[in-house]
Amino acid sequence: MAKAREQMAVLHSSLEQLKGQAQVNQKVIGERVEKLKDMRKEIEDIQTVADDMLRERELTEKEMAATQEDIAQEKELLHTQEMVTQQRLQVLEKSADWFKDRLAFNFKKTPAGRVQMILTCIDHKDPTRPFFFDVEVTPEGKYAVTACDPRVTDLDELVEKLNSTNNLRSFVITMRQRFKKMI
C-alpha cells in the first residue's frame, strides 16, 4: 500500500502539475483568444477602410471620367467657336478691304482701344489725304468722338444724333459730307 500511496502521491503531484499547466494553458488560450478578437477587429476595421477607399476610388474615377468628358466637350466647343470666329474674321477682313477699296474708308483700333475711322478720296487735289475721327463706346454705352482731323464744327450735335439714333453708318456718311464741305 505504501507503493500505492507513493504512486497516488506521484499521480496527485502530476495531477496538480497538470492542473497548473492547464491553468497556464487556459490563461494563454484566453490571451490568444483576446488577441485573436483584437486582430479580427483590426482586420474588420482595415477591411472597412479598404472598402471605403475602394468606393472613394470608384467615385473619383467616375468624377475624373465626367471631368474628362466635360473637357473634351469644352475643347470641341472651343474648336467650333474658333472656327466660327475665324470665319467671321475672314468676312470682316473682306468687308474691311471692300470698304477700303470701294468706299475709300478704312478703320483701325488705336492703342487706346478706340476705333479710328479714316476717310480718303475727299480732297480731289490730294485723294490720299486722310480725314479721320476716333470713336469709342463709353461705359454708359454711348458713343464718343475723341479725336477729329480736321475738326468738324457741329461734331457735338452729330455725336448727340448718333447716340439718339444708334446709326453709325449714317454718322460716317454725314462725317464724309462735312469733310467735303471743308474743302
Side-chain angles (χ1 to χ4, degrees):
M1 222 147 110
K3 214 177 191 185
R5 278 190 186 166
E6 205 176 286
Q7 280 182 342
M8 274 288 267
V10 170
L11 286 176
H12 187 57
S13 173
S14 290
L15 182 63
E16 288 300 318
Q17 283 180 343
L18 287 175
K19 281 183 182 179
Q21 186 64 40
Q23 286 176 344
V24 169
N25 287 345
Q26 284 289 16
K27 186 177 178 184
V28 168
I29 289 172
E31 289 172 357
R32 287 185 179 175
V33 166
E34 284 302 313
K35 191 173 182 179
L36 184 60
K37 285 179 183 178
D38 290 344
M39 290 173 79
R40 282 186 179 158
K41 176 69 174 140
E42 285 181 37
I43 290 171
E44 287 175 4
D45 291 346
I46 290 171
Q47 186 64 44
T48 301
V49 169
D51 291 344
D52 290 345
M53 290 176 76
L54 283 174
R55 278 191 293 278
E56 188 175 322
R57 179 181 175 190
E58 289 173 2
L59 287 174
T60 302
E61 286 175 350
K62 286 179 183 177
E63 287 174 2
M64 283 178 47
T67 301
Q68 286 175 341
E69 186 176 322
D70 290 346
I71 289 171
Q73 289 175 351
E74 288 292 325
K75 281 183 180 180
E76 185 177 325
L77 179 63
L78 284 173
H79 178 71
T80 302
Q81 288 175 342
E82 186 176 321
M83 289 177 56
V84 168
T85 302
Q86 287 297 327
Q87 290 172 348
R88 285 182 184 165
L89 181 61
Q90 288 174 354
V91 168
L92 289 173
E93 286 174 345
K94 285 180 183 179
S95 297
D97 289 342
W98 185 82
F99 277 109
K100 184 178 179 181
D101 295 343
R102 308 278 188 308
L103 302 176
F105 175 62
N106 193 10
F107 48 91
K108 65 181 181 179
K109 186 174 181 180
T110 66
R114 299 176 182 104
V115 176
Q116 186 175 69
M117 300 192 181
I118 306 162
L119 304 168
T120 55
C121 296
I122 292 175
D123 187 349
H124 296 292
K125 293 177 186 171
D126 185 6
T128 61
R129 178 181 170 201
F131 292 74
F132 70 89
F133 55 95
D134 293 356
V135 177
E136 72 175 337
V137 178
T138 66
E140 295 82 30
K142 299 288 184 181
Y143 289 103
V145 174
T146 56
C148 184
D149 187 33
R151 182 77 179 162
V152 173
T153 55
D154 62 339
L155 181 62
D156 292 337
E157 290 84 16
L158 294 175
V159 171
E160 190 175 308
K161 183 178 179 183
L162 169 62
N163 281 316
S164 66
T165 64
N166 203 28
N167 189 341
L168 187 60
R169 179 183 170 275
S170 178
F171 179 75
V172 172
I173 292 169
T174 304
M175 288 297 288
R176 180 179 284 280
Q177 292 168 350
R178 293 301 194 274
F179 287 144
K180 278 188 178 186
K181 283 183 183 179
M182 292 179 168
I183 297 177

